[in-house]
Amino acid sequence: MEPPVSVPLVRVADESLMPPGPWFNLGMIFGVVAMFGSIVLLTKTLLQTLAQMLSESPEGSNEQMLQVVVPGVNLPVSQLAYFFIAILISGVIHEFGHGVAAIREQVRFNGFGMFIFIIYPGAFVDLFTTHLQLISPVQQLRIFCAGVWHNFVLCVAALAFLLLLPLFLFPFYYTGAGALITEVVEDSPASGPRGLFVGDLVTWLEDCPVRSVDDWHACVREISHRAQAGYCVNAATLQDTRAGGRGYRRLDGTIECCSNNSLTDICFSYSNNLESRLYACLPARKTIEFSQTCHTNMDCQKDFVPSLCAVPSLENQTRLIRVKHQPQLDMLFVGYPLHLQYAVSLTNFVPRYGFLHFDLPVVIETFCKYLVSLSGALAVINAVPCFALDGQWMLHSLLEATLSSLILEKHNRELLGFFILLGGSALLASNVALGLWMVTAR
């Protein structure tokens, strides 16, 4: 926010209608802290980006707090409306904070406006520079910090609303019963007549209970990193279908014993305590649909019928996953767990009444997440001591308020500020340039 030069007008004399001073004092403190915090955050982000570039691995990219957003690349086209509305609201609240703080400090402004920069919406306030020059550096700092302060408040408010959303929607939607499927990617491993359907409620992944979307993701990660679960199968059934010497070794070292390329049969490995490892080709659904999961033969000693723990013999990293999704029959998924994770979209909110659509909570959730991310990012970026950003004026006012008695020459204070701004600008530009390269070139 760079206030243009203009002619002065009469100051506001009535302070009774103005917001209380402590609000903007808190904003000033937050702005100063955010200015130093933004340097730390940008430095950490830059080091993470450089580490990813040197490792030639995309792992860890999602752990960065700040990421460059490019519509159509790492921002889904279907969510562009959320992005633009959220960034517009964040910009308006940012400039509203500057405007109200200026009135509080008796600085008048010409007006308020909005603009489009390339494709991104924004807002601005037009302040009287002469009035700014007449007030103290501390008063100036309150005005310049008000934008990032109001963005932070908006971010916290949106986050609080997001966390309390189950309470607000409780009369219409309930949570904690499972993860409701809102979308299934066409031709994905989860689609098909025996797959998942929109409106199904997922309650279990193997022996991992699913009560929310977070549980779903946690279960997928757990299944990905642990050994394949087995299933308790009748010992007589295993003996009758024993593969004997028909098994052959795949290229990755695993054993395949179903040589007919059946889409319904799977090779299982087991031990009968006499021989170390045996194999049997069994129909997957009939074998495991009503079987309990196990890891050793001891887990199958609960029934009177002798049973053994049979483990699907699959290629490395692939898993057989039984998905319980009401009201359909269990889905049997064979493949990479992450493919299952990316094949569906889910929500925690289950409608209490048939006329309610499950898209409403999804829309509210998604918008709140964008508002939290973009308003928070706007606060961080504008706090950076960088040319043409709020951080430039915040730094200038801070130096005048704190170093006037230590560095008597104003020229020296301005020179110090110039070098700090130069470093902050270089840090921000480096993050943007490398962030764009990571998103578009890799």
Side-chain angles (χ1 to χ4, degrees):
M1 181 208 62
E2 181 177 0
V5 178
S6 183
V7 295
L9 289 183
V10 180
R11 294 186 180 186
V12 177
D14 184 9
E15 297 191 12
S16 61
L17 299 178
M18 299 178 186
W23 176 257
F24 291 99
N25 287 332
L26 283 175
M28 179 180 63
I29 296 171
F30 172 80
V32 173
V33 173
M35 184 164 54
F36 293 101
S38 65
I39 294 295
V40 175
L41 184 58
L42 285 178
T43 302
K44 181 180 178 181
T45 303
L46 183 62
L47 293 176
Q48 287 178 335
T49 304
L50 290 173
Q52 292 172 34
M53 292 173 63
L54 295 176
S55 66
E56 293 297 327
S57 172
E59 291 184 5
S61 59
N62 293 329
E63 298 177 2
Q64 290 181 264
M65 292 188 65
L66 293 177
Q67 290 184 345
V68 175
V69 176
V70 180
V73 179
N74 61 346
L75 174 66
V77 176
S78 60
Q79 297 188 3
L80 285 179
Y82 296 111
F83 177 82
F84 287 122
I85 294 174
I87 200 171
L88 178 61
I89 292 175
S90 300
V92 169
I93 294 298
H94 179 97
E95 299 302 334
F96 174 80
H98 286 309
V100 175
I103 294 175
R104 173 68 193 175
E105 303 300 338
Q106 299 188 11
V107 173
R108 301 293 296 273
F109 59 94
N110 279 327
F112 172 87
M114 300 172 64
F115 63 91
I116 297 292
F117 177 71
I118 305 178
I119 60 172
Y120 299 101
F124 67 91
V125 289
D126 186 9
L127 300 181
F128 284 89
T129 304
T130 305
H131 279 187
L132 281 172
Q133 295 171 345
L134 293 175
I135 61 178
S136 69
V138 173
Q139 290 176 296
Q140 293 176 8
L141 192 58
R142 279 198 287 262
I143 295 174
F144 296 136
C145 290
V148 298
W149 169 239
H150 281 75
N151 274 136
F152 173 73
V153 171
L154 177 61
C155 176
V156 172
L159 181 61
F161 184 83
L162 183 63
L163 295 176
L164 294 175
L165 191 58
L167 181 62
F168 295 144
L169 296 180
F170 181 77
F172 310 102
Y173 297 84
Y174 63 91
T175 59
L180 186 70
I181 298 174
T182 60
E183 182 182 2
V184 179
V185 177
E186 190 176 355
D187 296 327
S188 69
S191 63
R194 291 294 183 93
L196 302 175
F197 297 90
V198 173
D200 289 353
L201 188 65
V202 178
T203 55
W204 290 84
L205 286 179
E206 289 295 351
D207 54 351
C208 186
V210 176
R211 299 183 182 89
S212 65
V213 177
D214 288 340
D215 287 347
W216 161 274
H217 295 303
C219 288
V220 172
R221 287 194 299 269
E222 179 184 342
I223 291 172
S224 300
H225 292 98
R226 73 183 186 189
Q228 169 69 58
Y231 304 89
C232 294
V233 182
N234 187 297
T237 301
L238 290 171
Q239 184 64 31
D240 292 341
T241 56
R242 179 173 170 179
R246 290 182 294 152
Y248 61 90
R249 192 175 299 274
R250 301 187 184 98
L251 293 177
D252 60 3
T254 57
I255 300 298
E256 173 62 79
C257 60
C258 296
S259 57
N260 59 353
N261 296 321
S262 172
L263 297 177
T264 60
D265 295 346
I266 288 180
C267 182
F268 288 82
S269 66
Y270 66 97
S271 173
N272 61 3
N273 300 323
L274 297 176
E275 301 177 73
S276 60
R277 188 57 55 188
L278 300 171
Y279 297 91
C281 184
L282 302 172
R285 181 169 295 276
K286 182 179 178 181
T287 301
I288 73 174
E289 192 166 25
F290 301 104
S291 301
Q292 69 177 64
T293 57
C294 60
H295 296 282
T296 66
N297 287 339
M298 294 298 295
D299 297 333
C300 301
Q301 303 305 315
K302 301 176 182 179
D303 299 327
F304 294 106
V305 180
S307 299
L308 298 174
C309 186
V311 180
S313 178
L314 302 172
E315 295 179 90
N316 283 344
Q317 307 304 320
T318 60
R319 297 288 187 273
L320 170 60
I321 304 174
R322 180 170 54 185
V323 183
K324 291 186 178 294
H325 55 118
Q326 303 171 0
Q328 311 292 334
L329 293 175
D330 295 355
M331 182 189 81
L332 303 183
F333 171 85
V334 178
Y336 296 100
L338 287 180
H339 291 178
L340 174 62
Q341 185 176 22
Y342 296 141
V344 295
S345 299
L346 308 110
T347 180
N348 293 321
F349 297 89
V350 183
R352 294 184 181 274
Y353 311 103
F355 64 88
L356 294 173
H357 204 277
F358 45 70
D359 276 347
L360 176 61
V362 174
V363 170
I364 298 175
E365 272 188 312
T366 305
F367 178 71
C368 285
K369 289 177 181 178
Y370 271 98
L371 203 57
V372 169
S373 300
L374 294 174
S375 188
L378 200 60
V380 171
I381 298 302
N382 272 281
V384 179
C386 171
F387 293 109
L389 294 179
D390 286 351
Q392 176 181 357
W393 313 109
M394 291 163 58
L395 178 66
H396 172 77
S397 300
L398 180 64
L399 293 179
E400 290 297 315
T402 57
L403 298 182
S404 295
S405 59
L406 297 177
I407 304 177
L408 300 179
E409 294 291 335
K410 185 174 182 179
H411 171 74
N412 292 334
R413 294 195 299 270
E414 291 177 345
L415 189 62
L416 174 62
F418 173 78
F419 284 114
I420 295 176
L421 289 173
L422 199 62
S425 300
L427 181 61
L428 180 60
S430 300
N431 272 276
V432 172
L434 292 181
L436 281 172
W437 184 84
M438 289 288 290
V439 169
T440 59
R442 296 192 65 167

